[in-house]
Amino acid sequence: MYICTMNWEMVHLDETDSTNRWLREHGGGDVVVVADYQTSGRGCGTNQWESQRGCNLLFSFLLHPVEIPVREQFRVSEVVSVALCTTLLTYSEGFSIKWPNDIYWHDHKICGMLIENRVVGMQLAESIVGIGLNVNQKVFLSDAPNPVSLCQIVGHDVDRMKILHEFLKQLESLWTSGGVGEDYRCLLYRRNVEADYADAAGRFRAILTQVESDGRLVLTLADGQKRRYAFKEVSFIYK
């Protein structure tokens, strides 16, 4: 419904600065580029992604959405997040989607995602999706507060390429089946749970009740007041 038929071309790199950048400069068609190591793996903004060489799944792929207006581009994030979370749930329970598109295992981050959309007129022309998934890394050295890897969860190393192929299969299935908005919301981290957040006015407690179709997060205060946030306008607070 939303994307042309996928016939993935796989490109494997021993090392690159960023799989998103490589794909932006060299990709065409339905391409998946996988790297054993990234020297400048990007997260959102200026964030960097820590990854030990050859241990994790670092990849980017190119999508060509069709008939998606710019105002509905959050659909891409929904589908990719649900596909990845669903894939990981075949290995263990406890995975969820932390708004907008990180994947968590309980209160620990296992995956980060960077989506770069190109717009032509009022339509979405293409999306480059970059994913860093902690698979077999056993020690984390950065100051990231809560990393975890799949091998730490399941107790043994996992085949990285097997996960990738399982994910791509899920992704194709979800694209062709239609919207996944409700699946995305059901998988949300902290959904319907009172927790701590912070915005420009300071720290507060609220319940995560919804993510709207344009991607805005809806938090409900104890008095019933609703606050809506775009990405980066609110932070999740951890004890």
Side-chain angles (χ1 to χ4, degrees):
M1 178 181 294
Y2 304 138
I3 195 164
C4 300
T5 302
M6 300 174 186
N7 296 300
W8 298 112
E9 174 193 354
M10 290 279 183
V11 177
H12 179 265
L13 305 173
D14 290 332
E15 180 177 312
T16 187
D17 57 350
S18 161
T19 54
N20 266 33
R21 183 213 52 83
W22 190 96
L23 193 56
R24 189 165 53 250
E25 294 182 3
H26 299 93
D30 297 325
V31 178
V32 182
V33 56
V34 185
D36 287 334
Y37 185 69
Q38 289 185 125
T39 57
S40 301
R42 291 178 56 201
C44 291
T46 59
N47 295 341
Q48 299 291 309
W49 184 259
E50 177 193 359
S51 182
Q52 186 177 345
R53 184 182 295 272
C55 287
N56 299 321
L57 190 51
L58 311 172
F59 67 103
S60 296
F61 55 95
L62 183 63
L63 299 177
H64 299 282
V66 294
E67 299 179 357
I68 294 187
V70 173
R71 67 180 182 278
E72 297 178 17
Q73 60 187 287
F74 190 67
R75 289 188 196 178
V76 176
S77 189
E78 288 177 339
V79 174
V80 176
S81 300
V82 171
L84 189 51
C85 193
T86 302
T87 300
L88 291 173
L89 283 167
T90 65
Y91 290 86
S92 178
E93 61 182 8
F95 291 101
S96 60
I97 302 167
K98 176 181 172 288
W99 175 83
N101 51 32
D102 287 340
I103 307 298
Y104 267 45
W105 180 71
H106 299 292
D107 290 326
H108 299 275
K109 183 174 179 176
I110 191 171
C111 176
M113 192 180 304
L114 176 64
I115 300 177
E116 299 175 302
N117 293 322
R118 183 170 69 85
V119 173
V120 175
M122 297 303 293
Q123 299 294 122
L124 191 57
E126 68 179 25
S127 301
I128 293 179
V129 182
I131 292 177
L133 175 65
N134 297 330
V135 180
N136 294 322
Q137 186 162 336
K138 297 175 177 63
V139 177
F140 293 90
L141 302 177
S142 75
D143 57 0
N146 57 347
V148 71
S149 66
L150 190 56
C151 77
Q152 290 176 324
I153 295 167
V154 301
H156 56 79
D157 283 359
V158 183
D159 187 326
R160 292 179 295 156
M161 294 308 294
K162 181 172 182 284
I163 297 172
L164 176 58
H165 286 291
E166 290 169 344
F167 161 72
L168 293 175
K169 202 170 170 184
Q170 283 282 350
L171 180 65
E172 292 185 35
S173 175
L174 290 173
W175 275 118
T176 56
S177 67
V180 297
E182 188 56 34
D183 294 329
Y184 174 88
R185 286 155 186 80
C186 287
L187 288 168
L188 279 170
Y189 172 69
R190 289 188 178 178
R191 180 173 180 261
N192 295 331
V193 174
E194 187 177 45
D196 293 314
Y197 299 88
D199 60 14
R203 185 166 173 162
F204 62 96
R205 286 185 69 78
I207 297 174
L208 192 159
T209 51
Q210 183 61 288
V211 173
E212 298 179 330
S213 60
D214 62 359
R216 288 191 301 171
L217 180 70
V218 180
L219 299 176
T220 303
L221 306 184
D223 62 3
Q225 175 191 349
K226 295 184 183 300
R227 296 183 180 180
R228 291 172 171 81
Y229 296 96
F231 185 49
K232 293 292 188 182
E233 291 181 349
V234 66
S235 301
F236 288 60
I237 301 298
Y238 305 94
K239 295 180 180 178

